[in-house]
Amino acid sequence: MADEWSPVINPFNDKDQVITGKAANQTSVEAFVDEQKLSLKTYNADTGYFEFYPSSLLKAGKQVKFIFIKDDEQQIIYQKVQAAPAPKKPVLNPISNKSTFLTGTAEPNSTIYITINKKVKSMQLKNSKSFKMDFDDKRPLKAGTKVSVYVIDKAGRKSGTVTVTVADKIPPAEPKMELVTDKSFSIKGITEARATVFIYKGKKRLAKIKTGTSGKFTYRMPLQKANSSFDIYAIDAAGNKSKTKKVKVKAKNRPTKKVVSAPVVKQFPELARGCEVTSLAMLLGDAGVKVSKMTLASKVKKDPTKYKVKNGKKYFGNPYYGFVGDIYTFKKPGLGVYHGPIASLGSKYLPNRIVDLTGSSFDKVKDYVAAGHPVWVVTTSWFRYVPSKYWTTWYTPHGKIRITYKEHSVLITGYDKKYVYFNDPMDGKKNKKKPLKQFIEGWKQFGNQAISYY
C-alpha cells in the first residue's frame, strides 16, 4: 500500500474516552478489541479525521485492531492500550466549623474515598470532576478535625492523599463577667479556652491575658471609681474576635465600720528608726509576701547626705528621695523615709500590685480598708496635729524641706465614725485606736502619704 495514505493513530490509554486519528480521504475505517467492534462516532471523508468511542473496552495491555480500506486495498494496524498514570491528587476546598458539607474536584469516573474521624465514606464520580458530600445530619465538624481524601480510578490506581484541617471561623462568645464594684480589686470573667482577653479603659489597653483550659481570667487592679467602664473582648487562637463586653463599675456603700486583721511586727530593738519598713513588712505580709523588716531595712533606698550645720542652716538628706541617716541606732543622726522609696521597695516584692495613694483624701484610705486591704501611712508620732515649733527646715541636695522628728509610720487596719485603727510598729500593738479626726489632722501634715496594694 502506498505510504502516502498510511493512517496516523494518536496515542491512547485505558482512561481515554475517545481514540482519534487520521487516514487518507475516502478511506473506510474500523476498529476492534477482542473482535468487539468499536463505535465510529466521527469520520470526515474529505480530511480522513476519525473518532472511535471505545466505552469501557480499553484495558491496559489490550490490542486494538484498526482496519483501513481504500480503493480495494486494505491496511491493518495493531496498537496496544497503554496504562494511564495514577490519578492526580484531588483538590479539597477549605472547610470551616461553619461548613455543613465539603466540596472539591477529582478525576472524572473515579471513586473518591473521604476519611473523617477514622470513618471512611466513598462516592462515584461520573463524567464530572466536581464532588460534594454533606456531613452527617448536616452538622459542622469541630475546628481542628482532619479530613483526608484520595481517589482510585477504574483500573485500581490510587492517587496521593490530600488532607485539610477544619478551620475555626466561629468567634468566641462574648466574655461573661463577674460584678465589678468600686470595692473590687479585680476584673474576673470566663471566655473560650485558650483565648486571649483584652481589657481596655477608654483607649488605653490595661491587660492582655491568655486563658487556660478553663477559659477563666483575672485582672488585678486598684479600686476604680463608680461608673467607670471597661471594654473587654476575646480573640481565639484562630484570630476570631468576640463581641465586646462593656463592664460598668457599680457603686457599693462603704460600711460605717471596718477592721481587718493584718500581721503585726515590732520594730524594736533591731531598728531604732525603722517604723516605715516595719509597717511595709506588715503590709506585704497581709498580701501573702513574707519578708523581714531587716531585709527591707537593708534594701530601702538611702540618701547618703551627711548631717551638718553651717551658718545656722541645717543640711541633711531628703526623705522623699531615700532613707535619711542611720536606721539602726539613735547614736547617729537620722530621721526616716517617705512614701516614694517605700512604694518602690514594695513593688519589688509585689510587682504591679502596689498602689501609691499619696495626695488622696482619707476617704480613699477608708475605701481600701473597706475592701479588705490595710494601708501604710506616714503620720505624726502624737497621732494628732504637731505645732509649727516642732518643725524645722533642712537644706538637702534635692531642695529645701520642712521636717519634724515627730514623724511615725503605721499600718491602718480599720476605722469607724470616731476612731482609726492601726498596727503600731513602735509598741507592736494590733488594731490600736486613736481619735479619727485628730489622726487625720496629723496625717495631712505629711502630705496625705498612703500606700496599699491590689
Side-chain angles (χ1 to χ4, degrees):
M1 181 174 290
D3 289 341
E4 59 266 17
W5 73 275
S6 293
V8 174
I9 302 167
N10 296 321
F12 56 89
N13 60 46
D14 56 359
K15 286 184 181 177
D16 287 327
Q17 301 299 301
V18 62
I19 297 174
T20 64
K22 188 176 181 180
N25 62 351
Q26 305 301 322
T27 300
S28 173
V29 183
E30 293 182 315
F32 298 86
V33 176
D34 293 337
E35 306 304 324
Q36 295 188 54
K37 190 175 183 178
L38 302 184
S39 173
L40 181 63
K41 293 295 183 180
T42 300
Y43 178 68
N44 189 314
D46 294 329
T47 64
Y49 175 78
F50 61 84
E51 291 182 346
F52 284 101
Y53 282 56
S55 184
S56 61
L57 295 176
L58 296 187
K59 305 291 183 184
K62 288 281 186 179
Q63 293 282 358
V64 180
K65 178 182 178 181
F66 296 92
I67 301 175
F68 301 93
I69 300 174
K70 179 177 174 63
D71 300 329
D72 295 329
E73 292 187 31
Q74 177 177 281
Q75 185 174 0
I76 298 175
I77 299 176
Y78 290 92
Q79 192 150 316
K80 193 174 183 178
V81 179
Q82 300 299 312
K88 292 181 179 180
K89 284 184 180 181
V91 174
L92 187 57
N93 295 325
I95 307 169
S96 80
N97 54 354
K98 289 183 176 181
S99 306
T100 59
F101 57 85
L102 60 80
T103 60
T105 57
E107 183 176 292
N109 301 302
S110 62
T111 302
I112 304 169
Y113 293 87
I114 301 167
T115 303
I116 304 173
N117 295 326
K118 298 183 179 180
K119 185 178 180 180
V120 181
K121 290 186 175 183
S122 64
M123 59 190 301
Q124 293 283 338
L125 270 183
K126 293 183 179 179
N127 301 319
S128 174
K129 67 178 183 179
S130 298
F131 64 87
K132 176 183 177 182
M133 188 195 79
D134 291 329
F135 298 135
D136 293 341
D137 300 323
K138 292 189 175 181
R139 289 181 300 180
L141 302 176
K142 292 182 178 179
T145 302
K146 304 290 186 182
V147 178
S148 297
V149 178
Y150 64 87
V151 299
I152 295 179
D153 66 15
K154 292 189 298 182
R157 292 178 288 255
K158 181 181 177 182
S159 74
T161 300
V162 61
T163 301
V164 168
T165 301
V166 177
D168 185 359
K169 295 295 183 182
I170 300 176
E174 181 181 88
K176 294 182 179 179
M177 308 301 303
E178 294 184 12
L179 177 67
V180 180
T181 75
D182 56 359
K183 302 300 183 293
S184 298
F185 286 113
S186 63
I187 292 175
K188 295 182 179 181
I190 186 169
T191 186
E192 184 176 301
R194 298 184 178 88
T196 302
V197 177
F198 292 84
I199 302 176
Y200 281 83
K201 187 175 183 182
K203 294 183 178 181
K204 182 180 180 181
R205 190 177 84 184
L206 301 180
K208 178 182 178 183
I209 306 169
K210 182 76 173 180
T211 68
T213 55
S214 69
K216 294 181 179 179
F217 60 91
T218 299
Y219 168 64
R220 295 181 182 274
M221 64 182 182
L223 296 183
Q224 302 293 312
K225 292 181 179 179
N227 298 317
S228 299
S229 63
F230 299 89
D231 292 321
I232 303 169
Y233 62 84
I235 296 179
D236 65 19
N240 302 304
K241 181 181 176 182
S242 74
K243 291 183 179 179
T244 299
K245 179 72 174 180
K246 187 169 287 291
V247 175
K248 191 173 183 179
V249 178
K250 304 294 184 182
K252 183 178 181 181
N253 291 334
R254 186 198 312 134
T256 56
K257 180 177 180 178
K258 178 76 174 185
V259 180
V260 300
S261 179
V264 62
V265 180
K266 190 176 181 180
Q267 75 183 76
F268 296 127
E270 296 87 355
L271 299 176
R273 298 186 179 93
C275 58
E276 300 93 350
V277 294
T278 305
S279 292
L280 177 60
M282 292 189 275
L283 179 71
L284 293 174
D286 187 75
V289 178
K290 294 182 178 180
V291 56
S292 74
K293 64 183 181 182
M294 301 305 291
T295 297
L296 296 176
S298 68
K299 293 184 177 296
V300 69
K301 185 178 181 181
K302 311 297 194 304
D303 185 327
T305 306
K306 302 298 183 181
Y307 179 79
K308 68 178 180 179
V309 179
K310 184 177 180 181
N311 298 326
K313 293 182 178 180
K314 297 175 181 177
Y315 294 85
F316 212 177
N318 190 319
Y320 285 106
Y321 176 80
F323 196 95
V324 178
D326 196 293
I327 195 171
Y328 301 105
T329 177
F330 287 125
K331 295 179 180 179
K332 298 179 181 179
L335 176 69
V337 64
Y338 288 168
H339 68 98
I342 290 294
S344 178
L345 179 60
S347 293
K348 293 180 180 178
Y349 294 92
L350 211 58
N352 302 314
R353 291 182 60 193
I354 291 292
V355 55
D356 195 336
L357 306 173
T358 299
S360 303
S361 72
F362 202 78
D363 282 342
K364 181 66 73 174
V365 174
K366 288 182 178 179
D367 285 339
Y368 272 75
V369 174
H373 290 189
V375 179
W376 176 101
V377 296
V378 169
T379 185
T380 70
S381 58
W382 293 355
F383 306 115
R384 56 183 172 84
Y385 184 84
V386 171
S388 59
K389 67 179 181 179
Y390 293 98
W391 292 77
T392 188
T393 298
W394 282 355
Y395 294 85
T396 82
H398 306 280
K400 188 168 62 174
I401 186 174
R402 290 281 291 172
I403 68 98
T404 178
Y405 283 100
K406 309 298 182 184
E407 178 263 347
H408 192 34
S409 174
V410 298
L411 186 71
I412 294 181
T413 57
Y415 65 87
D416 59 27
K417 291 182 178 180
K418 293 183 178 180
Y419 297 99
V420 60
Y421 299 81
F422 54 89
N423 289 357
D424 190 349
M426 185 76 72
D427 54 20
K429 288 187 177 180
K430 186 181 181 76
N431 294 336
K432 186 175 179 177
K433 70 177 183 179
K434 290 292 181 179
L436 178 61
K437 184 178 180 181
Q438 292 180 10
F439 185 96
I440 292 175
E441 288 175 349
W443 174 68
K444 285 183 176 180
Q445 287 187 283
F446 286 93
N448 300 23
Q449 294 186 53
I451 297 168
S452 191
Y453 71 93
Y454 55 90

